[in-house]
Amino acid sequence: MDKILEGLISSGHTVPVKKAIVKKVVEAAEKDVAADECRALFTVTTRLILLGEDAFQKQVGFQVLEAYARYHRSEFEGFFSKDFVLGLLQGGYEQLDRKDPALVDYIHCGLRLLISCPAVLELFNVIQVEVLRLVCERPNPVLCARLSTMLSDFVQCVPRDKSGVLFCQQLVRTISYFHCMARQEQELGEYVGQVTKVSTLLQNIWKAEPVTLLPSLQEVFAIISSTDPSFDPSIALASLVQHIPVQMITVLIKSLTTDQNVKDANMTKALCRMIDWLSWPLAHHVDTWVIALLKGLAAVQKFTILIDVTLLKIELVFNRLWYPIVRQGALAVLSHMLLSFQHSPEAFHLVVPHVVHLVQSLQADGLPTSKAFLVQFTELIHCMMYQYSGFPDLYDHILEAIKDLPKPGEEKIKLVLNQSAWTSQSNSFTSGPLRQACKSETGKTGLVNLGNTCYMNSILQTLFMATDFRRHVLSLHLNGSNTLMKKLQLLFAFLAHTQRAAYAPRNFLEASRPPWFNVGSQQDCSEYLRFLLDRLHEEEKTIQVLESTKPSVAPAPAAPVVDSTSKDPTGQTSPEEGLAPSLSPAESKADHDRRTLIERTFGGKLVTGIRCTHCNGISEKEEPFTDLSLAFYPSAASQDAAQCEGPSAQPKAVCQGSVNGGSEIPVPDQTSPVHPVPETSGPPLSVPDLVNYFLAPEILDQDNAYFCEKCGCLQRAEKTMKVVSAPEYLILTLLRFSYDAKSHVRRKILENVTIPSQLRLPVHQLAAAPSPASSCTSSPLQVDSPESSENLAKKLKPSQKDEDEDDTESSRGDVSVQVRYVLSSVVMHSGVSSESGHYYSCGRNITATDGDATTRTKEDARNEQGECAALPGSTDHDGTPGRDTSDWLLFNDSRVTFTSFQSVQNITTRFPKDTAYVLMYRKQDPAGQNVNKGPTANGLRQSSEPPLQKELLDAIIKDNKLYLQEQELTARTQALQAPSSSCSFRPNGSDDNNPPGSCGPSGGGGGGGGGGFNTISRLVF
């Protein structure tokens, strides 16, 4: 019979003929057959099964073997012996390798045929040993799946006791070596099916022998926590997660996170690889385990691991949202990672560029599941934009994409954020080296936030964008100087020429920080600006005094430069420690012009006049200013309170503001978080409105009456303020922060103010200059008392009778001219209080000759009446002729992006808590004129950027080389995949991630009004 079968297979007959003959051979198995003939048939069929050339031969072999083994069991039992099976498993079959899956299938078939025979018990013992050895040799997925199928059918072949534990551990490790190189859907499906069979076997073993579960899980962690760069475990391990009892999560995670033997580097690797498991299509509960481990690490304050893993894997998790089969699990992990990462916007900003594309794709497919997912995803995005407000350049496109989707309420957002935070403040969050990226497309350099220093960064970028001021600072020769001006020059040089995407102004921060500013706390940017300008002014005045005491051997140097050191209010330096500056001949100036650079750049003059309405006697005083602090119109309640305050409401004429909080105004005892502003049906307030209100006459009467020296008693009087000297750069500070005496909190006025790109300021040219006794033109910039600007909010408009009386005044003989200004920069504050939130600035390069004279319009008639007004059309677009709106830049700490004037104007409309705070306007020369008589080094007109001096150039070259070395070191570190337990080399910097301030949650964003969080102290970002 065996000869017939061999001849039939090798014959040239058709398949139907062969099948008919095979059927006859199978039917003959029921008859008596000699033992030798049976053994010969078993040998032939085994060869056909294992070495058959095609599927037909293998099928014939299985059919004949099963038929003869069933009817001649004793003969088959002798053939399929322990030694025969052992030989197959250890040596293979002829040219067939011992690891060929066909051998496992053949043995599986033989076990089914001998299941009722006593001899099969010996086979079980042999197979137990051999499968353990085979698994230790890391079989491929196909062989492992065949082996798992056999062991699942014959559990007696599974190793027991200690060998069983070892078998499970080795099988887990074998899975970690699985890798699928297939790209076709069918092949991928086969691979997933193979892995599923192996994981199912482990599940069955864990259920039957619970003692094997914990060692298996320990092996899983040992594999995924390995830091061996040559070993990358397969994500097929994710198939095991769904078989681990969920009730064990808490115990296992607690044991894992509190194990002192587990190093941070290993835990980081393990968590990263678990997050990679989200890509496995059929795994359940992976998201549950990942979130549990994240929470466990937060509970034991392993924040370093959480930060590193989040920044490393957040984009991968986001990309999983594109695949519907793993979308829900990925969203759960993404939500937890983003909502818990509340000390910095870095993680959220890594995924921001991908949000709009995903939303548009999901909206396009129109599936019900996609719509439901979009609602959840949009809620997450709204929460993140609320938490990290102050980035309109990043969020505008997102808001547009999700405008038609439901938006959660502010209370719900607060609740979600509070429940998700794993840290608010921690010493673990230190600013380490940054993983620098290349410069933005703007070509500009950002400033690294050194811990709640956005107030400084926004002001420095504003000063840097003051083109003429920047050019003049860079042209100064300050060799050997160690002054604040020298540090500002170096800072400007780096902003202009460094290759870094963001520069860390540590030295300048230490030199310029006011002594009462707490390190790491949020501060008022306008207060810092006043202090900085005053320091620079006093420094130069000190140099001038020192220079004037030296023997005169040449014309007096008049360039507004600063010597080695200066009169420093912080007491850090003394004038004698530095060297005299080296001045070029072009920087000398006339002896009569001893004004400092700050005076000539930002200094203006106000004349405050008080006229007694009884005797018409006038008292005047001229004082300098560097900025005008503009109060909002007070509410009726505020007016009543102002009238009742009596002598404490004495007005101040100098509006320079106070260095210790002059940007606030007091309000009556209120509990409202926002300063009330009168509701009007007309257009919103504009900057000219506030300037006109600032310059409006004020009546001094009753408890606030004026003591007239001529009358010798208290009299009703009128107080007026007039600008008599216009600064080159006009700085306007909107007094948005009001002091609540009851709650002792500086609250914010969220009133929207229209910002014109151009305005005209009424400047009075007096027929007769004030007497020297009442003038202080040569005095240094004054630092007002804290009350200098507090009473501005209490200023009242005169009655109609008073205005009529004002018309009778004709003895002054002054002439009002309109000085044209063009908007240069705006500093924005995002938040609802001065103690929290975020500062950023928008600016453009504007010089005194960038504007052109406009034609006379009806608006000019109003200007001639002495009022400040916006130029026609300047509130709708950037009115500077010949300039592109892309000239506007948004400086947000280390980020610099393009923006437009329309975005600047509409910022409060789109983000209610983001409001203009400090504005800088550049004075424009009348057509065909140059007030400084041409481009000079000591004036404020330079046609181009000055060349860098050698000292500055050397410093920048040195730092650029250092930057390249840092980049190379970073690249090598990443290439080696070296584990790190530090938080270094994070993308986009680590803005405001260390200090103890409370700034983040009360920022702006797309949400409505309302305060910040009280339960968790946030950090500025």
Side-chain angles (χ1 to χ4, degrees), residues 268-284:
T268 302
K269 280 290 186 182
L271 183 54
C272 287
R273 285 163 175 161
M274 286 182 67
I275 292 174
D276 291 340
W277 291 353
L278 291 170
S279 303
W280 189 255
L282 300 181
H284 302 290

Side-chain angles (χ1 to χ4, degrees), residues 544 555-559 586-595 600 938:
Q544 291 178 358
E587 289 176 320
S588 64
K589 60 183 178 180
D591 291 339
H592 67 273
D593 188 5
R594 300 290 293 173
R595 293 180 301 161
R600 291 184 293 111
N938 66 333

Side-chain angles (χ1 to χ4, degrees), residues 283-300:
H284 302 290
H285 309 306
V286 172
D287 56 321
T288 305
W289 278 92
V290 171
I291 293 173
L293 184 53
L294 290 170
K295 290 181 176 179
L297 291 171
V300 295

Side-chain angles (χ1 to χ4, degrees), residues 560-631:
V561 297
V562 187
D563 201 355
S564 57
T565 53
S566 68
K567 179 181 178 182
D568 188 345
T570 64
Q572 296 174 349
T573 60
S574 63
E576 293 78 8
E577 293 176 359
L579 299 176
S582 173
L583 305 179
S584 64
E587 289 176 320
S588 64
K589 60 183 178 180
D591 291 339
H592 67 273
D593 188 5
R594 300 290 293 173
R595 293 180 301 161
T596 66
L597 173 61
I598 301 303
E599 285 179 306
R600 291 184 293 111
T601 307
F602 303 104
K605 293 177 183 177
L606 280 172
V607 168
T608 303
I610 300 180
R611 178 178 64 86
C612 176
T613 58
H614 182 265
C615 67
N616 282 331
I618 299 176
S619 173
E620 291 185 338
K621 183 179 180 181
E622 181 181 286
E623 293 183 296
F625 69 89
T626 53
D627 76 316
L628 299 180
S629 299
L630 307 180

Side-chain angles (χ1 to χ4, degrees), residues 629-929:
S629 299
L630 307 180
F632 285 74
Y633 299 154
S635 64
S638 297
Q639 293 179 7
D640 294 340
Q643 293 173 357
C644 299
E645 295 225 358
S648 65
Q650 288 293 330
K652 298 288 183 181
V654 179
C655 299
Q656 180 180 334
S658 169
V659 296
N660 59 351
S663 59
E664 67 180 37
I665 56 177
V667 297
D669 189 5
Q670 301 177 22
T671 58
S672 172
V674 179
H675 183 76
V677 178
E679 296 182 3
T680 61
S681 57
L685 287 175
S686 67
V687 171
D689 291 335
L690 299 183
V691 174
N692 290 328
Y693 177 62
F694 172 81
L695 297 174
E698 177 182 1
I699 299 301
L700 307 178
D701 198 6
Q702 298 180 1
D703 292 340
N704 200 27
Y706 167 69
F707 182 83
C708 178
E709 294 182 359
K710 184 175 181 180
C711 297
C713 61
L714 294 175
Q715 295 288 357
R716 191 172 189 264
E718 180 188 63
K719 172 191 169 185
T720 59
M721 285 192 294
K722 297 179 179 179
V723 178
V724 296
S725 177
E728 294 294 322
Y729 282 93
L730 175 64
I731 300 176
L732 303 176
T733 301
L734 308 187
L735 297 179
R736 290 193 174 274
F737 298 122
S738 58
Y739 182 72
D740 190 330
K742 181 177 180 180
S743 60
H744 303 291
V745 174
R746 297 173 70 195
R747 304 189 185 279
K748 183 178 178 182
I749 302 173
L750 296 175
E751 179 79 1
N752 190 13
V753 176
T754 301
I755 305 172
S757 65
Q758 302 178 68
L759 58 80
R760 288 187 175 180
L761 181 71
V763 178
H764 294 259
Q765 296 178 346
L766 301 181
S771 62
S774 63
S775 175
C776 54
T777 57
S778 61
S779 64
L781 295 184
Q782 298 183 6
V783 178
D784 293 341
S785 63
E787 295 81 12
S788 61
S789 58
E790 291 180 354
N791 294 304
L792 292 175
K794 302 174 184 175
K795 183 184 294 185
L796 304 178
K797 290 279 188 178
S799 63
Q800 183 62 42
K801 178 180 177 182
D802 301 324
E803 293 177 353
D804 293 340
E805 292 178 359
D806 185 53
D807 292 338
T808 65
E809 181 184 0
S810 60
S811 60
R812 293 280 297 128
D814 58 355
V815 178
S816 175
V817 297
Q818 300 298 319
V819 177
R820 184 184 175 204
Y821 284 90
V822 176
L823 184 64
S824 172
S825 296
V826 181
V827 177
M828 300 287 185
H829 178 263
S830 175
V832 295
S833 74
S834 63
E835 287 78 18
S836 63
H838 179 60
Y839 289 105
Y840 57 94
S841 63
C842 302
R844 59 174 175 168
N845 284 306
I846 283 290
T847 65
T849 57
D850 282 339
D852 295 328
T854 57
T855 58
R856 180 179 176 84
T857 65
K858 292 182 180 180
E859 192 68 24
D860 294 328
R862 179 190 174 194
N863 296 341
E864 292 177 354
Q865 298 175 5
E867 292 186 2
C868 176
L871 290 182
S874 66
T875 59
D876 301 324
H877 58 83
D878 186 349
T880 308
R883 295 188 70 89
D884 191 350
T885 56
S886 64
D887 287 344
W888 281 93
L889 301 170
L890 191 151
F891 298 91
N892 203 329
D893 286 334
S894 57
R895 287 181 51 82
V896 184
T897 55
F898 286 116
T899 187
S900 65
F901 178 67
Q902 288 76 14
S903 297
V904 175
Q905 276 201 318
N906 298 329
I907 191 68
T908 306
T909 303
R910 296 183 64 83
F911 302 92
K913 299 173 189 175
D914 291 30
T915 54
Y917 185 35
V918 177
L919 296 86
M920 183 178 290
Y921 282 85
R922 181 65 173 99
K923 187 169 75 172
Q924 297 297 289
D925 289 340
Q929 296 185 23

Side-chain angles (χ1 to χ4, degrees), residues 454-456 458-459 517 522-531 663 737 827-829 839 917-918:
C454 57
Y455 70 90
M456 177 187 72
S458 60
I459 291 300
F517 276 19
Q522 176 65 296
Q523 304 295 342
D524 190 326
C525 74
S526 66
E527 186 176 352
Y528 174 78
L529 173 60
R530 294 188 194 99
F531 178 81
S663 59
F737 298 122
V827 177
M828 300 287 185
H829 178 263
Y839 289 105
Y917 185 35
V918 177

